[in-house]
Amino acid sequence: MYEDSPYPIDIREYLYKILVIGDLGTGKTSIIKRYVHNIFSNNYKSTIGVDFALKVIQWSPDTVVRMQLWDIAGQEKFSGLTRVYYKEAVAALVVYDVTRPKTFEAVPKWKADLDSKVSLPGGEPIPVVLLANKTDLQDASSGGLDTEQMDQFCEENGFLKWFGTSAKDNSNIEDAARYLLEEIMKREAEHAHHQEQNAMNDRIQLNQPSSKEGCC
């Protein structure tokens, strides 16, 4: 490659499996469609089992990220299959409908299901962001979501952060996805550094002279 080429010599590519879960009708499919294809419709049918979409991001001049978003059905009858669907996921978005309190009450159940069935290589829980969806339908007289209460809920239930989102208005979906992706890449870098340190320590131990060496 020529030295004056504007293209990087090495392109690093990453593929991340990200789960999008929550009760039936919370807008999971709409969020994915808006984020991946920038489209919105009121006529999406309920997901049966699982579906997924791919979002390709030029993260930096030499880094391409492929986000594989898995749209998991919210129906209770599919809950027994989640262990299969969750396999190898590195992060998740849990979605609830701000106009339906019961979907918020189910959020801890979804988080507990995640924590019991999938984890990062080191054993820690995968990073999870909470989406308070359909803010466009929220009654303006209610004053919106209580930020302090939501922050406390996330802290108590192991969520990194929450975002009020609307697939219809395209509100905060890009911000939420980018925040989660930054957390994924930060954890991956930390894990790679930890592995590198362990490998270095192993090499040092192997190169150390035994107690018998140097004896007369």
Side-chain angles (χ1 to χ4, degrees):
M1 181 175 292
Y2 296 110
E3 292 184 357
D4 60 351
S5 171
Y7 301 102
I9 296 175
D10 295 314
I11 298 293
R12 293 175 296 174
E13 297 188 14
Y14 300 92
L15 176 64
Y16 297 128
K17 177 180 177 179
I18 299 171
L19 307 172
V20 184
I21 61 177
D23 274 8
L24 177 68
T26 53
K28 300 183 296 294
T29 300
S30 295
I31 286 172
I32 293 173
K33 294 289 187 183
R34 172 62 82 178
Y35 180 57
V36 175
H37 305 294
N38 196 26
I39 59 176
F40 175 79
S41 171
N42 288 312
N43 299 318
Y44 292 131
K45 295 181 179 179
S46 299
T47 301
I48 304 299
V50 65
D51 195 5
F52 66 87
L54 187 67
K55 174 80 169 181
V56 181
I57 302 170
Q58 187 73 44
W59 186 255
S60 69
D62 64 347
T63 303
V64 173
V65 175
R66 289 177 169 82
M67 298 175 67
Q68 195 177 64
L69 297 159
W70 284 58
D71 183 1
I72 310 296
Q75 294 95 322
E76 188 68 30
K77 63 183 178 181
F78 293 112
S79 62
L81 300 173
T82 54
R83 185 179 297 277
V84 176
Y85 296 150
Y86 291 176
K87 188 177 181 181
E88 298 181 351
V90 298
L93 297 167
V94 175
V95 185
Y96 79 94
D97 181 345
V98 296
T99 70
R100 294 160 55 210
K102 285 189 176 297
T103 65
F104 179 71
E105 294 170 7
V107 165
K109 178 198 74 173
W110 285 103
K111 181 63 165 62
D113 192 48
L114 270 179
D115 292 345
S116 68
K117 294 175 181 175
V118 64
S119 62
L120 296 177
E124 63 270 26
I126 63 174
V128 185
V129 166
L130 177 63
L131 301 187
N133 195 39
K134 302 188 183 181
T135 54
D136 58 287
L137 298 178
Q138 203 168 26
D139 183 2
S141 64
S142 69
L145 298 167
D146 188 310
T147 300
E148 186 174 337
Q149 289 184 0
M150 290 296 294
D151 288 345
Q152 182 177 353
F153 177 84
C154 288
E155 183 176 352
E156 292 175 350
N157 290 275
F159 291 93
L160 296 179
K161 196 172 181 178
W162 69 276
F163 291 83
T165 59
S166 167
K168 182 177 181 179
D169 295 345
N170 197 17
S171 300
N172 287 334
I173 293 174
E174 189 82 30
D175 292 342
R178 184 171 185 85
Y179 174 83
L180 186 59
L181 184 53
E182 288 173 348
E183 290 294 325
I184 294 169
M185 299 189 75
K186 182 176 74 174
R187 281 165 169 72
E188 184 163 285
E190 291 172 351
H191 179 67
H193 177 71
H194 183 67
Q195 286 187 316
E196 185 178 325
Q197 287 295 110
N198 287 341
M200 185 179 297
N201 291 337
D202 290 341
R203 288 196 297 270
I204 291 173
Q205 292 178 2
L206 288 173
N207 292 332
Q208 284 179 344
S210 65
S211 58
K212 294 182 179 180
E213 291 183 7
C215 293
C216 298

